[in-house]
Amino acid sequence: MTSSELWTRATADRYDAEETEMSSAAVLGPTLAFLAELAGDGRALEFAVGTGRVGIPLRERGVPVVGIELSEHMAAVLRRKIDEDMLPVAIGDMATTVVSGEFTLVYLVYNTITNLLTQDEQVECFRNAARHLKPGGRFVIELGVPPLRFLPPGQVAVPFDVSEQHLGFDTFDLVEQVLVSHHFTRDDDGRYRRDNSRHRYAWPAELDLMARIAGLELERRVADWDGTPFTQDSAKHISVWRKPA
């Protein structure tokens, strides 16, 4: 097992309800179109498939999808929605777990590579992706750009959501490249629930070096699933690396 923190049953059961915006047509439409085009007539492997937010609708588009998921609780929520023969899921970590067959696409969305808390594990994730890809296949990552430009000297926290139902902010350890996301969520009874999770952030250039170590080549980097050009002001990136044919 890697250093990724496990999702509990309670967290898995409420995950979909708390991520309704990320499951909307406005978000999923461009995501699925982007991934389906890269998958072509081949199979897709989703690292950290979770509750199937992306994997299930991608399968419904006709792309055969296999998932790897560390949390049995998250996988159990997915299994309530779709049968094993339609979307097989292997329980294990995305850095070392191997499934059978080759894929034209391996993808990792919504910042999930940061769940691996060491650089070595993130490198192994790239190697695992390359291990599963056919020659000419692609590895895709969706990841936020660390918002360190918002940190004046002496400040270690950056808010990312302030609303009636939720307050979220990140605190940063700049030496270890680790951030902690803090969430204060208002439940139906008016009380606030506190959660936090640790992540290892990485810059695009660092990911490119990880890809080179794994034998992959950068093919494309854009700011979102719609293909907006990536600039110094982009808040996130969609990066595509290709396994040489």
Side-chain angles (χ1 to χ4, degrees), residues 78-216:
L78 177 148
R79 191 55 63 224
R80 297 172 200 161
K81 307 173 187 177
I82 191 168
D83 294 336
E84 173 74 17
D85 59 345
M86 291 292 290
L87 202 166
V89 175
I91 301 299
D93 70 81
M94 56 188 166
T96 63
T97 302
V98 177
V99 299
S100 61
E102 289 186 312
F103 299 83
T104 57
L105 173 67
V106 179
Y107 65 94
L108 182 54
V109 299
Y110 204 16
N111 303 320
T112 316
I113 194 170
T114 66
N115 290 357
L116 300 172
L117 297 178
T118 70
Q119 186 183 69
D120 286 345
E121 290 171 354
Q122 292 178 354
V123 169
E124 288 305 312
C125 181
F126 273 82
R127 284 177 167 155
N128 201 29
R131 183 181 297 123
H132 286 91
L133 284 173
K134 291 182 176 181
R138 275 92 169 186
F139 182 35
V140 176
I141 285 182
E142 174 189 20
L143 183 59
V145 176
L148 301 189
R149 294 168 67 186
F150 293 103
L151 285 175
Q155 181 174 314
V156 296
V158 173
F160 59 84
D161 185 33
V162 179
S163 65
E164 290 293 324
Q165 296 300 121
H166 179 255
L167 171 64
F169 61 93
D170 292 329
T171 54
F172 293 84
D173 181 332
L174 302 182
V175 174
E176 297 297 329
Q177 269 183 235
V178 170
L179 68 84
V180 179
S181 287
H182 304 265
H183 302 267
F184 293 84
T185 306
R186 185 176 183 179
D187 289 328
D188 293 339
D189 61 6
R191 293 185 295 182
Y192 280 85
R193 169 172 35 87
R194 179 177 181 176
D195 301 289
N196 62 70
S197 58
R198 293 185 300 154
H199 306 268
R200 182 187 186 272
Y201 63 85
W203 301 96
E206 185 181 4
L207 298 180
D208 290 342
L209 184 55
M210 293 181 190
R212 289 179 60 188
I213 292 171
L216 305 176

Side-chain angles (χ1 to χ4, degrees), residues 5-106:
E5 297 173 348
L6 279 168
W7 292 78
T8 65
R9 182 187 300 275
T11 303
D13 285 342
R14 62 174 178 257
Y15 180 82
D16 288 345
E18 294 183 349
E19 295 293 344
T20 53
E21 181 180 353
M22 294 300 298
S23 299
S24 66
V27 172
L28 278 181
T31 305
L32 298 174
F34 192 107
L35 295 174
E37 180 179 1
L38 290 181
D41 296 328
R43 303 163 71 217
L45 173 61
E46 180 172 355
F47 285 173
V49 67
T51 64
R53 178 183 68 90
V54 175
I56 292 175
L58 187 61
R59 180 65 183 88
E60 291 170 348
R61 283 197 171 209
V63 177
V65 177
V66 177
I68 293 175
E69 174 55 46
L70 181 61
S71 169
E72 294 186 21
H73 300 303
M74 295 288 277
V77 175
L78 177 148
R79 191 55 63 224
R80 297 172 200 161
K81 307 173 187 177
I82 191 168
D83 294 336
E84 173 74 17
D85 59 345
M86 291 292 290
L87 202 166
V89 175
I91 301 299
D93 70 81
M94 56 188 166
T96 63
T97 302
V98 177
V99 299
S100 61
E102 289 186 312
F103 299 83
T104 57
L105 173 67
V106 179

